[in-house]
Amino acid sequence: MKWLYRIYQLCIALPLGLLATVLAAVVTIVGCALGGARVWGYYPGRLWARCIVRLLLLPIHVEGRELLQKGQSYIFVANHQGAFDIFLIYGYLNRNFKWMMKQSLRRLPFVGAACAAARHIFIDRSSKESIIRSHEAARNRLTDGMSLVVFPEGSRTRNGHLQPFKRGAFLLADELRLPIVPLTIEGSYQVMPRQRDGRWATWHPLRLTIHQPIPVGDEKGNDNARRLLQQSRNIIVEHLGDNTETTA
């Protein structure tokens, strides 16, 4: 069965997936250039993500969408298991949002240009000034129900365990007074972990759990950001069980 799935990936899923990637990128770039980045910066990517998941015949289960309020901006924070986290969130969260992503992703063919056109937020950690500019970009775009998705671990796990969280997303939530929504991803590490980038995908169900939004509260400052971080991480840890690394 494994070899049949690999033959299917090579002969059908790979060429169609590459075609879908190029088409989605071109439509995003052209659509955003013509105006309406709010629409063209989200929906082509959402359809692309769903297409990739469906091409690989991966079962999807999502729960918790009913916990989100229509028209409310959120900062979503998710554990980062593998490459398919992107497809799961983009395709199935069902909220218009901007990614906060590494500056190096700009160099990806087609995808990097599409992300720039869609006005996703690139993080350059080379200097404090660059980080401040990234936060300023997020502040300007999180309006009228637009949300932000961040992987607070900073990079994908190397061993399937949850890594410590960085504070950036929680400081931003405190500053902008926006609720934090933890997201738990399960199954992505089994489909394609970091150490198998660009190789065969393994068939495995994917699961996205949207947790209860965490109010930012009345307090402000570093202590409040630490509270949001720890509360968010605890929720994801509890959902995942013992599959964690050192505490934040």
Side-chain angles (χ1 to χ4, degrees):
M1 196 68 180
K2 179 177 75 173
W3 288 105
L4 284 175
Y5 188 49
R6 288 186 174 183
I7 292 169
Y8 168 79
Q9 287 182 57
L10 181 63
C11 297
I12 298 176
L14 178 60
L16 290 179
L18 289 173
L19 178 61
T21 300
V22 173
L23 284 175
V26 170
V27 169
T28 298
I29 293 167
V30 173
C32 291
L34 294 175
R38 189 179 185 90
V39 172
W40 296 106
Y42 171 64
Y43 288 100
R46 179 187 174 194
L47 291 173
W48 164 74
R50 289 191 173 211
C51 177
I52 297 298
V53 170
R54 292 307 182 194
L55 278 173
L56 288 168
L57 312 176
L58 302 174
I60 301 291
H61 180 79
V62 182
E63 60 181 64
R65 289 195 191 113
E66 71 281 358
L67 299 175
L68 304 179
Q69 180 181 338
K70 185 176 180 181
Q72 170 68 52
S73 295
Y74 295 103
I75 294 182
F76 294 96
V77 293
N79 60 315
H80 206 358
Q81 287 199 337
F84 277 77
D85 300 346
I86 305 298
F87 304 119
L88 185 58
I89 292 176
Y90 217 158
Y92 297 93
L93 182 59
N94 285 10
R95 299 286 294 202
N96 202 332
F97 66 85
K98 301 300 180 186
W99 291 104
M100 186 168 278
M101 57 180 64
K102 292 181 179 179
Q103 181 73 14
S104 59
L105 295 176
R106 276 185 183 270
R107 298 193 293 269
L108 289 176
F110 291 101
V111 174
C115 289
R119 303 186 71 209
H120 294 301
I121 301 158
F122 293 94
I123 289 287
D124 180 1
R125 293 191 174 94
S126 61
S127 68
K128 184 177 180 180
E129 291 75 18
S130 299
I131 294 173
I132 291 173
R133 285 197 297 270
S134 299
H135 281 209
E136 182 66 29
R139 183 185 301 110
N140 292 336
R141 291 168 201 176
L142 295 181
T143 58
D144 299 326
M146 182 64 69
S147 294
L148 181 70
V149 174
V150 183
F151 294 112
E153 293 168 272
S155 61
R156 290 168 291 164
T157 176
R158 293 184 179 275
N159 56 13
H161 296 173
L162 189 67
Q163 303 168 96
F165 280 7
K166 294 177 172 60
R167 293 191 304 157
F170 306 96
L171 289 168
L172 189 62
D174 175 76
E175 178 186 349
L176 301 182
R177 315 311 295 166
L178 292 177
I180 288 277
V181 180
L183 304 175
T184 301
I185 294 169
E186 298 169 90
S188 178
Y189 184 78
Q190 287 77 11
V191 173
M192 187 177 288
R194 183 174 181 173
Q195 57 269 33
R196 289 214 319 266
D197 277 354
R199 303 182 187 178
W200 303 108
T202 300
W203 188 93
H204 195 281
L206 293 169
R207 185 182 188 94
L208 175 65
T209 302
I210 303 164
H211 298 286
Q212 185 76 41
I214 302 172
V216 71
D218 296 326
E219 296 183 7
K220 294 183 179 181
N222 288 332
D223 287 344
N224 192 45
R226 278 193 288 269
R227 174 188 68 82
L228 294 170
L229 183 155
Q230 198 59 59
Q231 194 171 347
S232 300
R233 194 174 190 279
N234 287 345
I235 288 169
I236 296 174
V237 166
E238 183 177 357
H239 196 87
L240 290 173
D242 297 330
N243 205 22
T244 63
E245 277 191 5
T246 55
T247 56

